[in-house]
Amino acid sequence: MTTQLSSALSTAAEVSRRGFLQTTTVASGGLMLGFTVLSNQALAAGTLHTPNAWVHIADDNTITILSARSEMGQGVYTSMPMLVAEELNVDLKKIKVAIAPPGKAYGNALLGGVQLTGGSTSVRDGWDKLRTAGAQVREMLISAAAAKWNVDRSTLTAVNGTVVGAGGKKATYGQLAAAASKLPVPEKVALKDPKDFAIVGKRTKRLDTPAKINGTAEYGIDVKLPGMVYASLEQCPVIGGTVKSFDASRAKAMPGVIDVVQIPDGVAVVAQSYWQAKKAREVLTVSWDEGKGAALTDKAMMQGLRAAVDTGKVLPNKAVGDAEAGIKASNKVMRATYEMPLLSHSPLEPMNFTAHYHDNKIDLVGPTQWQDFAAGTVAATVGVKPEDVTLKTTFLGGGFGRRIDIDFIIQAAQISKAVGKPVKLIWSREDDMTHDFYRPQSVHTMAAAIGADGKPTAMTYRMTSQSVTGRLFGLPPEASDPLMTEAAIAGYEIAATRHDTVKHDAGMRVGFWRSVSHMQNVFANEGFVDEMAAAAGKDPYAYRMSMLANQPRYANVLKMTAEKAGWGTAAPAGRTRGIALMEGYDTYMALVAEISMQNNEVKVHKVTVVADLGRMVNPETVEAQIEGSIIFGLTAAMYGEITVDKGRVQQTNFNTYKMVRMNEAPAIAITLLASTEKPGGIGEPATALIGPAVANAIFAANGKRLRKMPFTPENIMSA
């Protein structure tokens, strides 16, 4: 997702958004509503004081810093506290960290103010905000000490969790916290010059690693509540279908079964253990109304998208000059169409959540990327007051955008209300893969007028796909979706261009997927520019550089990547290289993939990548994110495809929806550029860049241009 989401939201139904925000818990000064449901790792032994919503200091000097972003492997449990600790002047190793509860204070300004983790926004949103929060508390503690000692505050300094003054005066933050929390929060505070950073920008070991190694880290799948029971939910094999009738007599006779209840999404078996619930679910007899989705096939969906390219409503994105006239007048025109399939999120931890409905209240515990939406929607669904909902976010065993949607949370709440007990709902892998909110299919149509020098003088680009933003946020059909256009406009200098989109509802429910539309648009753009280079008889690297004269950040990462990958020198015997370039989430990145081929099967041996993401919080996490993104994107490029027949998803587990295995993973060489630019996002861009680089390397190997994913032997043969 991009920073343009807030504008998209404002175009959508304002009343519903405003109303929904009003249902969330407000966390400001004083003890926070909902703080008691935070991880027990974060609770202090003494009386807790909260100078602001981010910093919690106990009088025993225990300091807890909250992360408002869900930890799903991307390192925010460390990077967010690093930003606060830098200005607070505390040793990161001595603080505790907890994930924030739902609260207005924890909204994401880059995503319209909602409390949502996504779009590679965590550091970008928190860079100024969290440093300011730390500095505010630091100044409040200094003011409290100045009042206590009756001295000028300019004579005091805050260092390593202690305020120090002349004559040996010293007080810990814990000793000053009670008085500091009563002071007004200063609006303007001085932030450190980056040259003075002691924490931010330094390689830092992740704070959550020990707990994840020793087993004390709590994921949703680990949650246990007193008296808790388990649920397994039978859903219609066609997404959107509903129950007509069911027979639970055999299921109720199975060992451990407590109840069988119907909710809007299906029939839930509740038992003493998950295995008992699952086995009893297998003997349910359910008659379904499959609805209109029963006619869906992925092939028909793609045909509908292809037709919509010419028949759908065209929504302008950006135009420079008159591209159509330039193409019409050209003696040489190149055209290409790129296509992308449906994809599953498939996080390794399947969907699950625990809910406890009691006394007209509800407690929610589990993995989510969108806290305030989950709390507000559950309140409305089960009929409780918003203030009577508590939500504790556990660690997420993968998110990738799937846990932005909250269907499984609502289901857990509905089941708990029906049986009157705390219930942990667990989806099987098959449930997870066949009831996803899938990355939508897309069709990308391009045309370019080619000048005498082989470079484009005019270009048109159209992206046709379903709108996830329309489904999730109610974006009107006539409004452009900015989350379809990410990286659609590449950095190359072309005199006349026209970029637009067509939104077409293909019938399948779709969701935001890691890198959102970057992967689709970058694949098309970087494939097409490679096609133009080949047609001009030019080296793909040199051709790109020739169109970046006024784009120094693009040109710099491209040049450095080529140098580090050995571009222009002979690749090892039997190998070829492909190159690709992009900007995404304010991060500039170039990548070279080195591959070999045998019997139309591709082996990726080495990936070289250079990234300029502006200022970094934790370079160690940045590298890990790039590595993870490359493997995630490579999985999609090589294997990823969801197919549908008669409304039923055909891939049900990892035997039919393959992942890149360890023995298939390439060597990855990463260079991070020092920069004074504002921070860019890093959790997703490389996901988009690996695919086109591999496709371009395939062309270098066999002359076949891959215009659709995945790069299976069948698709390579038919290219």
Side-chain angles (χ1 to χ4, degrees):
M1 283 174 286
T2 70
T3 57
Q4 294 172 294
L5 178 57
S6 58
S7 63
L9 286 172
S10 65
T11 309
E14 284 292 332
V15 174
S16 61
R17 185 184 73 169
R18 190 176 299 115
F20 132 76
L21 285 173
Q22 289 171 348
T23 68
T24 62
T25 307
V26 176
S28 54
L31 290 176
M32 291 192 305
L33 182 64
F35 184 74
T36 55
V37 302
L38 294 173
S39 168
N40 57 15
Q41 299 175 48
L43 296 180
T47 302
L48 198 65
H49 305 283
T50 57
N52 67 17
W54 304 96
V55 181
H56 302 263
I57 305 174
D59 48 17
D60 67 353
N61 213 37
T62 300
I63 299 175
T64 300
I65 295 176
L66 300 194
S67 170
R69 304 293 161 251
S70 301
E71 176 56 75
M72 49 190 173
Q74 81 279 37
V76 294
Y77 200 85
T78 305
S79 59
M80 300 293 97
M82 286 175 70
L83 290 166
V84 179
E86 179 66 71
E87 296 290 346
L88 189 56
N89 288 335
V90 294
D91 184 346
L92 194 68
K93 296 177 183 178
K94 295 181 180 179
I95 67 167
K96 296 178 182 293
V97 183
I99 304 299
K104 231 175 181 181
Y106 307 115
N108 189 329
L110 297 182
L111 299 177
V114 296
Q115 191 178 349
L116 189 154
T117 305
S120 296
T121 56
S122 295
V123 168
R124 291 187 291 151
D125 172 66
W127 178 255
D128 290 325
K129 178 168 62 181
L130 296 183
R131 288 189 298 137
T132 299
Q136 287 173 333
V137 176
R138 179 192 71 217
E139 296 306 306
M140 293 163 72
L141 291 164
I142 289 174
S143 294
K148 178 178 180 179
W149 298 328
N150 195 27
V151 298
D152 190 321
R153 66 184 313 283
S154 65
T155 65
L156 306 179
T157 57
V159 57
N160 200 24
T162 304
V163 177
V164 179
K169 289 185 173 64
K170 183 183 294 188
T172 67
Y173 288 179
Q175 291 169 333
L176 298 168
S181 64
K182 295 181 176 67
L183 297 175
V185 178
E187 290 187 13
K188 294 184 178 181
V189 289
L191 300 180
K192 288 184 181 179
D193 189 308
K195 67 180 177 58
D196 298 323
F197 283 166
I199 297 173
V200 171
K202 314 301 181 185
R203 290 186 173 272
T204 303
K205 298 296 182 184
R206 289 179 53 149
L207 301 179
D208 51 351
T209 298
K212 290 178 177 178
I213 291 174
N214 65 29
T216 59
E218 186 180 50
Y219 290 84
I221 210 82
D222 301 320
V223 170
K224 291 184 179 179
L225 299 179
M228 186 182 77
V229 294
Y230 296 80
S232 183
L233 180 64
E234 183 75 4
Q235 300 180 78
C236 183
V238 175
I239 293 175
T242 56
V243 177
K244 288 199 295 187
S245 63
F246 69 96
D247 181 355
S249 55
R250 291 178 62 199
K252 288 182 176 180
M254 295 282 283
V257 172
I258 296 169
D259 205 349
V260 177
V261 298
Q262 181 180 345
I263 63 172
D265 285 347
V267 180
V269 178
V270 181
Q272 295 292 347
S273 73
Y274 168 69
W275 187 249
Q276 290 172 330
K278 180 181 183 298
K279 296 305 289 183
R281 172 185 158 190
E282 292 173 2
V283 301
L284 282 173
T285 301
V286 185
S287 175
W288 301 101
D289 178 352
E290 295 182 353
K292 61 181 181 180
L296 280 179
T297 70
D298 62 286
K299 292 181 176 60
M301 290 167 61
M302 182 58 77
Q303 289 171 358
L305 283 170
R306 292 171 186 149
V309 171
D310 297 317
T311 62
K313 180 177 176 58
V314 177
L315 302 171
N317 181 12
K318 183 178 181 180
V320 177
D322 192 340
E324 285 87 351
I327 291 172
K328 186 176 181 179
S330 177
N331 293 323
K332 184 176 181 181
V333 176
M334 291 185 62
R335 301 181 187 274
T337 298
Y338 282 70
E339 297 180 349
M340 300 286 275
L342 293 164
L343 291 179
S344 165
H345 295 85
S346 296
L348 291 185
E349 180 190 21
M351 298 303 103
N352 69 87
F353 226 80
T354 300
H356 184 196
Y357 180 89
H358 61 95
D359 306 317
N360 292 320
K361 300 178 180 180
I362 191 161
D363 303 323
L364 303 169
V365 188
T368 179
Q369 291 178 241
W370 196 353
Q371 285 82 1
D372 51 7
F373 184 44
T377 304
V378 166
T381 301
V382 300
V384 301
K385 297 177 181 178
E387 60 267 27
D388 288 333
V389 178
T390 63
L391 188 149
K392 171 187 171 184
T393 304
T394 61
F395 289 120
L396 282 61
F400 315 127
R402 174 61 179 95
R403 287 184 161 98
I404 289 174
D405 279 291
I406 61 170
D407 50 323
F408 55 99
I409 305 176
I410 295 170
Q411 292 166 356
Q414 290 168 331
I415 298 167
S416 177
K417 183 176 182 180
V419 299
K421 296 177 181 292
V423 172
K424 182 195 289 186
L425 170 66
I426 301 176
W427 285 23
S428 68
R429 172 60 58 201
E430 290 76 12
D431 295 332
D432 190 85
M433 201 167 285
T434 59
H435 290 79
D436 202 348
F437 289 77
Y438 301 93
R439 200 283 303 274
Q441 296 169 317
S442 60
V443 176
H444 309 254
T445 49
M446 290 159 288
I450 306 299
D453 59 359
K455 293 190 289 188
T457 58
M459 177 179 166
T460 60
Y461 181 106
R462 177 168 297 167
M463 196 266 208
T464 303
S465 184
Q466 285 185 253
S467 170
V468 180
T469 313
R471 175 193 67 81
L472 192 55
F473 292 103
L475 189 68
E478 67 276 8
S480 294
D481 182 351
L483 303 189
M484 290 172 62
T485 62
E486 296 167 316
I489 302 173
Y492 304 112
E493 293 156 4
I494 304 172
T497 59
R498 188 215 70 216
H499 291 77
D500 54 41
T501 59
V502 172
K503 296 194 295 188
H504 173 74
D505 186 355
M508 178 66 76
R509 73 181 190 187
V510 293
F512 296 124
W513 187 91
R514 190 176 188 175
S515 83
V516 194
S517 63
H518 285 86
M519 184 175 187
Q520 294 144 300
N521 290 320
V522 172
F523 176 47
N525 268 320
E526 287 302 291
F528 194 48
V529 76
D530 233 60
E531 292 194 49
M532 292 188 286
K538 304 290 187 182
D539 174 79
Y541 160 67
Y543 188 81
R544 285 172 168 82
M545 284 295 290
S546 72
M547 296 189 289
L548 296 171
N550 298 307
Q551 298 282 5
R553 294 182 77 183
Y554 278 107
N556 190 33
V557 293
L558 184 64
K559 180 175 181 292
M560 290 193 66
T561 304
E563 290 173 353
K564 291 182 177 296
W567 194 273
T569 64
R575 299 186 187 181
T576 55
R577 299 184 181 114
I579 197 166
L581 173 70
M582 71 172 288
E583 177 276 324
Y585 303 121
D586 297 325
T587 289
Y588 295 76
M589 184 181 291
L591 185 150
V592 170
E594 187 173 284
I595 72 160
S596 65
M597 296 190 67
Q598 186 173 7
N599 298 324
N600 289 309
E601 292 190 354
V602 181
K603 169 70 176 177
V604 182
H605 296 275
K606 182 181 178 182
V607 173
T608 304
V609 60
V610 176
D612 171 5
L613 60 149
R615 294 198 181 276
M616 291 174 277
V617 177
N618 186 358
E620 189 163 298
T621 298
V622 169
E623 289 178 351
Q625 280 292 279
I626 292 173
E627 290 169 347
S629 294
I630 287 171
I631 299 301
F632 195 84
L634 188 59
T635 284
M638 300 297 293
Y639 311 124
E641 183 175 22
I642 288 293
T643 58
V644 182
D645 184 46
K646 296 179 181 177
R648 291 158 169 79
V649 170
Q650 301 300 290
Q651 291 71 30
T652 59
N653 211 312
F654 293 128
N655 63 322
T656 51
Y657 193 77
K658 189 178 177 183
M659 302 276 138
V660 167
R661 304 295 178 113
M662 290 183 69
N663 66 313
E664 299 169 317
I668 301 174
I670 299 170
T671 299
L672 304 177
L673 301 185
S675 175
T676 59
E677 298 286 346
K678 65 180 181 179
I682 200 59
E684 300 173 88
T687 298
L689 203 53
I690 181 65
V694 171
N696 295 338
I698 292 172
F699 176 79
N702 63 11
K704 291 194 171 186
R705 183 63 63 185
L706 273 294
R707 295 195 184 99
K708 67 178 181 179
M709 291 187 184
F711 307 147
T712 60
E714 295 77 16
N715 283 343
I716 292 173
M717 288 176 64
S718 63

